[in-house]
Amino acid sequence: MWRDLGAIGRDAGTGGYRRFAWTGADADCRAWFRDQAESRGLAYETDRNGNQWAWLGDPGAGDAVVTGSHLDSVPDGGAFDGPLGVVSSFAALDELRGRGVRPSRPLAIVNFGDEEGARFGLACVGSRLTAGQLSLDKAHALRDAEGISLPQAMERAGHDPEAIGADPDRLARIGAFVELHVEQGRSLADSGEAVGIASAIWPHGRWRFDFHGEANHAGTTRIEDRRDPMLTYATTVLAARKKARLAGALATFGKISVEPNGVNAIPSLVRGWLDSRAADQETLDLVVAEIEKAAVERGERDGVGVRITRESFTPVVEFEHALRDELGRILNRAGGRAGDEGRAGVPVLGTGAGHDAGILSGAVPTAMLFVRNPTGVSHSPAETASEGDCLAGVTALADVLEGLACR
């Protein structure tokens, strides 16, 4: 499975993946998912929001145990973020069948669409729509860099955009959702463990900063006469780093657009996107407020107007304690470990990264498993996991699914 999927959407120059929502690479990933489902005799369907499902048992029976993740990527992303969870889900089902166990609850594998938000700028579109966290008006207003709207992209890919929207009936049939994911950090590498359990997802959001200056000639305009938004932007980036470091938070300007974007032209507009995350809401609010204040104050000095728009936000997600603790008990028993409820046994760790499991947590019980990433690098071709750790993740997921769905 890993070899078959590995070539899809990979850029020969960078070695990274460009699997963006509703593109050719995305279609190829979706075809792969359908092939995996049908080759195992699973009931395959695509829901109203373009998410793919593969069912073992009656989808309408309720109290289903669902696992899976996503197959799309950030620009030049790594091979493991998302796909490891989907591949491991199919492999875990194979493991269950090899053990000869039969689920007493419906079991499903899901591929959520557009989790990374690389094309339309909003993460977890498929799960947000399903959970009713993205309105139709906002969904229809999403556009990519070429001005193509989300409905246009979906229609071109053969999906009916008029069908999208909240899907409470589907969510009501899910008793638990467990997502396996490569760790996007070094906690497991430092602990020496191959697999861990998620405790919570930090609150996080995306803010767009528009810096409005005055376009002019780079070779004839005196320094003191300039209203250069690039200067204000650069100072804001440095302020973000400082404010986040002092607060123990994270703040990143990772995307920028410039107008008119000429080498010999002072920009008229610099637009930058801030991603900020913290362990708690109060810290996040404080850091973002201080960054905004620094941007406005510097803009006043530079003669640059600053406008700030929050484009998305996800509050802290505490995964359901009962389900999280049940995963700990299952894995500790399977591994012959000491400890109860994940303590002194399988590591329990928080994460600053958002996931579909976090979006669904308000509607269904959710939990996550992490697989060790020895480099700690993610959203990069350097992202990796050893074959042994990946197989340990499959075994852990199979143990969890057996404990939840087969007893």
Side-chain angles (χ1 to χ4, degrees):
M1 284 188 290
W2 195 253
R3 285 192 299 270
D4 291 344
L5 186 62
I8 298 175
R10 190 174 190 182
D11 183 80
T14 66
Y17 287 88
R18 299 178 181 179
R19 297 167 173 162
F20 306 145
W22 307 110
T23 63
D26 185 52
D28 290 343
C29 287
R30 289 171 175 273
W32 174 89
F33 183 95
R34 182 168 187 167
D35 287 345
Q36 296 301 320
E38 293 179 345
S39 69
R40 290 169 171 80
L42 305 178
Y44 170 81
E45 64 172 334
T46 301
D47 68 21
R48 63 190 300 178
N49 296 308
N51 307 308
Q52 295 178 289
W53 299 77
W55 288 90
L56 178 64
D58 181 5
D63 200 29
V65 176
V66 180
T67 186
S69 191
H70 63 95
L71 294 174
D72 65 314
S73 76
V74 299
D76 290 323
F80 293 81
D81 181 353
L84 180 62
V86 179
V87 171
S88 296
S89 296
F90 283 115
L93 176 58
D94 294 343
E95 170 71 13
L96 289 181
R97 285 174 161 172
R99 295 176 185 180
V101 297
R102 302 186 64 179
S104 56
R105 300 165 64 180
L107 186 63
I109 298 171
V110 62
N111 167 35
F112 282 109
D114 200 6
E115 193 271 355
E116 295 290 6
R119 183 173 182 186
F120 298 101
L122 178 65
C124 300
V125 170
S127 56
R128 284 184 192 274
L129 283 168
T130 300
Q133 296 185 21
L134 177 61
S135 69
L136 291 180
D137 288 344
K138 290 183 178 179
H140 283 225
L142 293 174
R143 280 171 170 71
D144 66 10
E146 297 178 356
I148 299 171
S149 70
L150 173 63
Q152 288 173 327
M154 296 177 78
E155 190 170 27
R156 291 176 185 180
H159 189 81
D160 180 10
E162 297 303 317
I164 66 174
D167 201 346
D169 291 342
R170 180 173 297 273
L171 294 178
R173 299 200 302 268
I174 300 174
F177 174 61
V178 180
E179 181 175 4
L180 180 145
H181 204 280
V182 68
E183 188 193 359
Q184 295 166 292
R186 290 190 47 83
S187 294
L188 289 174
D190 292 341
S191 74
E193 298 287 342
V195 178
I197 299 171
S199 59
I201 297 176
W202 287 10
H204 55 280
R206 297 179 181 183
W207 290 261
R208 190 185 76 236
F209 283 62
D210 294 336
F211 301 92
H212 294 272
E214 182 179 61
N216 216 327
H217 197 296
T220 62
T221 309
R222 297 186 306 170
I223 293 294
E224 55 268 28
D225 293 337
R226 299 184 179 200
R227 295 174 51 214
D228 187 351
M230 186 65 77
L231 179 62
T232 314
Y233 165 74
T235 305
T236 303
V237 173
L238 295 175
R241 171 64 179 267
K242 179 179 179 180
K243 304 299 184 184
R245 179 175 55 82
L246 291 175
L250 300 170
T252 307
F253 278 95
K255 180 180 177 181
I256 184 175
S257 68
V258 182
E259 296 177 12
N261 204 28
V263 175
N264 60 346
I266 300 167
S268 61
L269 171 66
V270 174
R271 178 169 287 147
W273 282 264
L274 169 71
D275 177 301
S276 191
R277 307 165 190 243
D280 59 82
Q281 187 65 55
E282 183 179 0
T283 301
L284 179 61
D285 291 343
L286 176 63
V287 168
V288 173
E290 289 184 341
I291 296 170
E292 292 178 349
K293 180 181 178 182
V296 171
E297 289 180 348
R298 183 68 202 203
E300 291 174 352
R301 292 173 55 187
D302 297 333
V304 170
V306 180
R307 185 175 64 189
I308 301 160
T309 305
R310 190 177 81 176
E311 293 192 335
S312 67
F313 178 75
T314 302
V316 63
V317 173
E318 285 277 352
F319 290 112
E320 186 184 78
H321 290 197
L323 181 59
R324 183 188 71 192
D325 294 345
E326 179 64 14
L327 263 62
R329 285 190 288 267
I330 291 170
L331 295 182
N332 285 331
R333 285 197 301 266
R337 298 170 182 267
D340 179 54
E341 298 182 355
R343 293 189 295 271
V346 178
V348 178
L349 52 142
T351 177
H355 300 280
D356 292 309
I359 299 297
L360 297 184
S361 65
V364 300
T366 61
M368 290 192 71
L369 297 176
F370 289 126
V371 172
R372 177 167 52 194
N373 176 350
T375 67
V377 175
S378 186
H379 285 187
S380 158
E383 174 185 275
T384 189
S386 72
E387 182 175 334
D389 286 352
C390 291
L391 293 175
V394 169
T395 299
L397 182 59
D399 291 338
V400 166
L401 296 179
E402 181 177 356
L404 295 177
C406 301
R407 293 175 182 170

